[in-house]
């Protein structure tokens, strides 16, 4: 698949089948993440590949989604189960603290401190999602969860922080149609705000 086409046609896939993903395919996706650029190439990221159904359920519970009410007669059908649970694999992208944007003596290189790990994790995650899409798989980046609970569940050591969860699986429903701001709204020339 052409890169530009992959970038434009990828959508968040929130409903995924439970069909297993073979090792070679999974590794292609992880390989794409591995080759993302990062601050001074420190690669302050780690990927926890979760396949265990029980652990996935625990991860999903950290998202704080309310359980759906019991269906009333004639009510609209309940929402589909979370992709974190149905997808065969959920990848938890973790960042290493005090590495990206930080000099070897521990002082920050910029006013952003070590938060560049979020940026780098984002780049790796986008690579991962695009590679998955090119391979016919669906992903959705999930950031709304209790990261402390996720760290506990996955035994993430001190010095690392869960950043996003990405369920990975064959799409069972297409992504929602979406839009983007027009370039005229977001691109300036020479000075911020200048059109
Ligand atoms: C950092 C980040 C966090 C996100 N967190 C969530 C989330 O918690 N739940 C969710 O349903 N979607 C989440 N999304 C997906 C966005 O809602 C989605 O990318 C956006 O609406 C654009 O849709 P598209 O990905 O289909 O183009 C997140 C995306 C990013 C980049």
């Amino acid at each position: 698949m052409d890169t530009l086409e992959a970038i434009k046609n990828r959508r968040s896939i929130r409903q995924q089948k439970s069909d297993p993903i073979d090792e070679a395919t999974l590794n292609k996706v992880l390989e794409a993440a591995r080759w993302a650029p990062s601050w001074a190439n420190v690669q302050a990221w780690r990927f926890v590949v979760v396949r265990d159904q029980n652990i996935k359920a625990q991860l999903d519970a950290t998202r704080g989604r309310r359980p759906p009410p019991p269906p009333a007669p004639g009510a609209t059908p309940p929402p589909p189960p979370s992709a974190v649970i149905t997808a065969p694999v959920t990848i938890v992208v973790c960042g290493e603290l005090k590495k990206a944007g930080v000099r070897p003596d521990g002082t920050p290189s910029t006013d952003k401190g070590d938060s560049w790990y979020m940026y780098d994790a984002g780049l790796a995650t986008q690579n991962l999602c695009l590679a998955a899409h090119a391979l016919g798989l669906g992903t959705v980046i999930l950031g709304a969860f209790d990261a402390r609970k996720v760290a506990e569940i996955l035994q993430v050591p001190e010095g690392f922080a869960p950043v996003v969860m990405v369920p990975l699986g064959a799409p069972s429903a297409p992504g929602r149609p979406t839009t983007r701001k027009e370039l005229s709204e977001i691109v300036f020339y020479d000075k911020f705000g200048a059109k």
Side-chain angles (χ1 to χ4, degrees):
M1 186 185 286
D2 170 63
T3 307
L4 295 181
E5 188 193 330
I7 290 170
K8 211 157 178 180
N9 296 338
R10 178 216 55 82
R11 291 283 70 76
S12 293
I13 301 296
R14 295 180 172 83
Q15 294 176 52
Q16 301 185 9
K17 296 181 189 164
S18 57
D19 305 5
I21 294 174
D22 63 75
E23 211 58 28
T25 305
L26 176 63
N27 279 338
K28 278 186 195 166
V29 169
L30 293 169
E31 223 12 54
R34 184 167 86 96
W35 280 99
S38 63
W39 183 284
N41 202 23
V42 292
Q43 303 162 61
W45 48 52
R46 300 292 185 276
F47 307 92
V48 184
V49 176
V50 180
R51 289 197 179 100
D52 183 286
Q53 212 49 37
N54 181 265
I55 300 177
K56 285 194 280 163
Q58 290 179 52
L59 292 178
D60 196 54
T62 70
R63 297 175 62 204
R65 298 190 324 155
R66 268 179 255 133
T76 49
S82 161
V84 174
I85 294 175
T86 61
V89 168
T90 288
I91 299 171
V92 181
V93 181
C94 298
E96 187 173 7
L97 310 179
K98 299 181 184 163
K99 277 274 152 59
V102 176
R103 300 189 187 96
D105 69 1
T107 57
S109 300
T110 71
D111 64 345
K112 295 177 181 65
D114 77 344
S115 62
W116 289 102
Y117 79 88
M118 295 288 286
Y119 191 93
D120 291 354
L123 293 171
T125 303
Q126 174 69 342
N127 271 15
L128 186 157
C129 293
L130 288 177
H133 177 57
L135 293 165
L137 295 172
T139 57
V140 57
I141 301 171
L142 300 173
F145 57 82
D146 184 331
R148 265 184 306 180
K149 282 189 191 155
V150 168
E152 249 175 65
I153 295 162
L154 301 179
Q155 299 176 1
V156 174
E158 192 101 342
F160 291 85
V163 178
V164 289
M165 299 194 235
V166 185
L168 170 72
S172 69
R176 299 176 198 149
T178 182
T179 58
R180 293 296 188 266
K181 291 176 181 167
E182 294 299 329
L183 285 184
S184 58
E185 253 187 281
I186 59 173
V187 179
F188 308 129
Y189 294 93
D190 295 328
K191 293 276 170 72
F192 195 98
K195 307 254 169 174

